[in-house]
Structure formats: structure tokens, C-alpha cells
Amino acid sequence: MSRGTNSWSPMGFVIFGTEPLLPAKLEQHIVNALPNQELNIDSFEDYEDALDFCKENANVGVIIIHENSEPHKIEEVFSQLARPYKASGWPVIGCIVRNSNTLESITALKAMRTHPEIREYCSESDLENPHIAQVIFDKLWSEYVRLVEQDLIPTALQDSLAAVVATQQKVADKVFYDRISEILSQPLNLSWRDRFRLRWHYLIREVDRISPAVLTPHQALHKLVLLSSSSADLSKLSLLEITTAKAPLIDRVEAVCDKLVAAGGAENLDALLKEARTESKPGRPGLLRHLADQSNAILSIFDDTYQLAAQNSSARKISS
């Protein structure tokens, strides 16, 4: 989700439009929907001021442009404002805003074709409604994670890495990890980088263990996912110790997921989830309480995942 204090960190937002006071009005609408992002949003009526701001800060990853920004062309504004952050290696995502009660314009649609990173086209009235605005920025946040994936781990690379893991019959473990990590992370205040790291943690770690040379050409991916992680040490602790540790939240979530996967392989997942329910008390960390709340769902996911894997294995043996 895009609403936590860390969700968009370390990115900033820029709003640009030449109509007097309009960018400030759009900024206030967005702050009403995403109050945690108030300090990260800046609005400009002067193009040169907006460009200087993006160059000086080099962290603007979300660009919101009002389509009535004459004499400037939307595609040129997006290209120039996005350039400083793109130079750091990260993508930039965009949104075009039109006047309320007006139809989509050819100019805006052309800009979106020129820059596929411009993923949203909404009206001022959409942003005035906090609920609709939240939905828009949730979608932008999810799309941003996908843009990062396209750059760092495109589909062909995903398939190649998964094939490495499959050589040691870890396919079911990977699927189980993928599904439980998604469930456990949903209500947590993770940044987009943390969400990306959590999603690919199991796959990259296993490839690094099985055949590290495969990751040599992908050092940015390796660094982002594995280099700063302390989850390997944390996963040796009890659930209460993991969730109350002083380590970053992303490390604790990874460690819990790793512990669940290991418990499934050792056939003591029931006992581990019972431990979670026993330790879940008022005042305990949200991660532990959420794990306890989702314990039945996790058991169902485990049964579905490994039963399907067993059926597929049997089918392959019969066909051979």
C-alpha cells in the first residue's frame, strides 16, 4: 500500500501546472488523501523552478502534471523533470491531471504513449475525493514496483533464476514463500524498495547459494535484495525474538517468512503457528499479531502448495 510513512521513501513528489494556485490546490488534495507524504510533496507553477528542484534533490520519482500547462508540452515536462532521478538508476512514474468534468485529451494520451511510465490520467475531482485519490496512488505505487522489476528482474531473468532453484527441487518452497510473504506484508509499513526486496528475497538467496555465478551480471539486483539483510541470523530465533528485535522491519518479515518455509519442510508448521497464536497478545508487535491472525490461511496455503507439487511430481513420474 502507498499510505504508510515509509511507503514511497526515499522518493519525492513534484506537481507542475502553470495555472495560478492550481498546483498548490492539487498538492493539498493529495495531502488530504496521503497525510504521511506531506513533507515529500512540492508543487510549482514555474517550470524552471520545478526543474531546478528536481536537479537539486535528485529524488523525485513521482511527477504529477496538469494537462493545461501551456506553453510547455506534457511529454517534454515529464522527460526533463524525470531525468535527474532516472540518472540514479531508478524509474520515475507519472500522472496527468485534467480539469474536472472534461474529456480525456489527445495531447495527454499522446504523452502517455510517448512515456509509458505515465500510468495514470485522472481529473481534479478524482483527487478531491480522498478515497479515489488513495486508490490512484495505491495503483501508482504498485505500478512503480513493477517498473523496478522490469528494470532489475525482467521475466526472462525470473525464469532463468527459477530454473536454477528447480534443480534442487525448491519450486514448492518458492511458491509457498511468495504467497505467505504477500499475505504478511499487506498491512505493514514497508517502502517500495522493501516490498521489492521481500518479494525476491527467497529466489535471489537460493540462487546465490546454489550457483552464485549466475548473479554476477546482476550486481544491482544482488545488492538491493541481499547485501544488507540480516534475516539469516534472525530466522534462528523464536518468533517473539524475531518480531521484537531491533532489526529493520524488512529483515524481520523476511526472517519470519524463512522460518515458516523451514518449518513447513521440517513438518512442524502447525507448532510454529501455534507458537504465534500463543505469543500474540495486546502490545506485541503488529507483525506477530498479524501472523497469528493469518495462521489458518497460511496452513491452507501450505496444504494447497505442497499437495499441488506432489500431484505434479506424480504426474511427471507416470508420464516418464
Side-chain angles (χ1 to χ4, degrees):
M1 300 291 281
S2 69
R3 306 168 200 175
T5 54
N6 295 324
S7 298
W8 291 96
S9 177
M11 285 193 295
F13 294 46
V14 154
I15 303 167
F16 175 72
T18 54
E19 184 178 324
L21 302 180
L22 180 57
K25 184 173 74 171
L26 296 179
E27 177 179 349
Q28 189 56 56
H29 293 331
I30 296 171
V31 168
N32 289 340
L34 303 175
N36 288 320
Q37 304 306 324
E38 181 173 9
L39 298 179
N40 300 324
I41 303 174
D42 292 89
S43 57
F44 298 90
E45 297 173 19
D46 184 272
Y47 173 69
E48 293 300 328
D49 288 346
L51 184 58
D52 288 344
F53 179 87
C54 291
K55 289 178 179 178
E56 290 169 6
N57 289 274
N59 74 331
V60 177
V62 182
I63 297 174
I64 301 155
I65 305 170
H66 198 280
E67 67 178 7
N68 295 337
S69 296
E70 292 83 1
H72 308 285
K73 294 182 178 180
I74 295 172
E75 54 265 43
E76 292 178 1
V77 171
F78 182 83
S79 178
Q80 293 302 314
L81 298 187
R83 184 169 295 175
Y85 194 53
K86 281 187 174 181
S88 68
W90 299 112
V92 176
I93 200 162
C95 174
I96 300 173
V97 182
R98 64 180 181 274
N99 290 329
S100 298
N101 303 317
T102 59
L103 299 175
E104 296 179 345
S105 71
I106 297 299
T107 301
L109 295 175
K110 179 183 176 182
M112 295 178 75
R113 287 195 296 270
T114 303
H115 295 289
E117 311 98 310
I118 302 176
R119 296 298 177 98
E120 281 294 312
Y121 185 18
C122 64
S123 72
E124 293 173 26
S125 58
D126 291 332
L127 296 182
E128 289 173 7
N129 184 317
H131 175 71
I132 297 176
Q134 286 175 352
V135 172
I136 289 170
F137 282 93
D138 284 348
K139 183 177 178 182
L140 282 173
W141 190 79
S142 297
E143 290 293 323
Y144 190 83
V145 174
R146 291 192 188 98
L147 286 174
V148 175
E149 289 175 353
Q150 288 174 16
D151 286 351
L152 291 182
I153 186 165
T155 302
L157 178 57
Q158 294 175 30
D159 293 342
S160 297
L161 299 181
V164 173
V165 172
T167 63
Q168 294 201 1
Q169 298 181 336
K170 293 283 188 177
V171 175
D173 287 352
K174 176 187 175 298
V175 173
F176 183 51
Y177 175 92
D178 289 346
R179 295 179 69 184
I180 60 175
S181 64
E182 180 64 24
I183 283 181
L184 291 181
S185 65
Q186 284 177 359
L188 301 178
N189 187 16
L190 296 174
S191 71
W192 60 269
R193 289 191 187 184
D194 289 343
R195 178 60 69 94
F196 176 88
R197 180 178 137 182
L198 177 64
R199 178 172 183 184
W200 300 107
H201 164 75
Y202 180 88
L203 180 64
I204 303 304
R205 186 198 63 202
E206 288 301 303
V207 171
D208 191 51
R209 183 181 65 81
I210 297 168
S211 183
V214 173
L215 293 172
T216 300
H218 310 287
Q219 289 303 305
L221 177 63
H222 182 276
K223 180 179 179 181
L224 179 60
V225 176
L226 291 184
L227 197 59
S228 62
S229 177
S230 62
S231 58
D233 293 330
L234 285 173
S235 61
K236 300 172 185 176
L237 305 175
S238 70
L239 287 175
L240 182 59
E241 289 171 331
I242 293 171
T243 55
T244 56
K246 298 300 183 183
L249 176 59
I250 177 60
D251 289 7
R252 287 178 277 142
V253 182
E254 287 175 352
V256 169
C257 291
D258 288 343
K259 198 170 186 69
L260 290 168
V261 173
E267 299 185 354
N268 65 351
L269 183 60
D270 279 322
L272 186 64
L273 292 173
K274 182 179 180 180
E275 177 187 340
R277 291 191 295 270
T278 300
E279 296 291 358
S280 178
K281 301 173 183 177
R284 290 284 167 83
L287 174 57
L288 179 59
R289 290 182 281 112
H290 183 56
L291 172 60
D293 290 342
Q294 296 297 321
S295 58
N296 289 334
I298 290 171
L299 280 174
S300 295
I301 289 171
F302 177 81
D303 291 340
D304 290 345
T305 301
Y306 289 91
Q307 284 176 7
L308 180 60
Q311 291 170 3
N312 291 340
S313 178
S314 298
R316 285 194 295 271
K317 288 179 181 178
I318 292 172
S319 64
S320 62

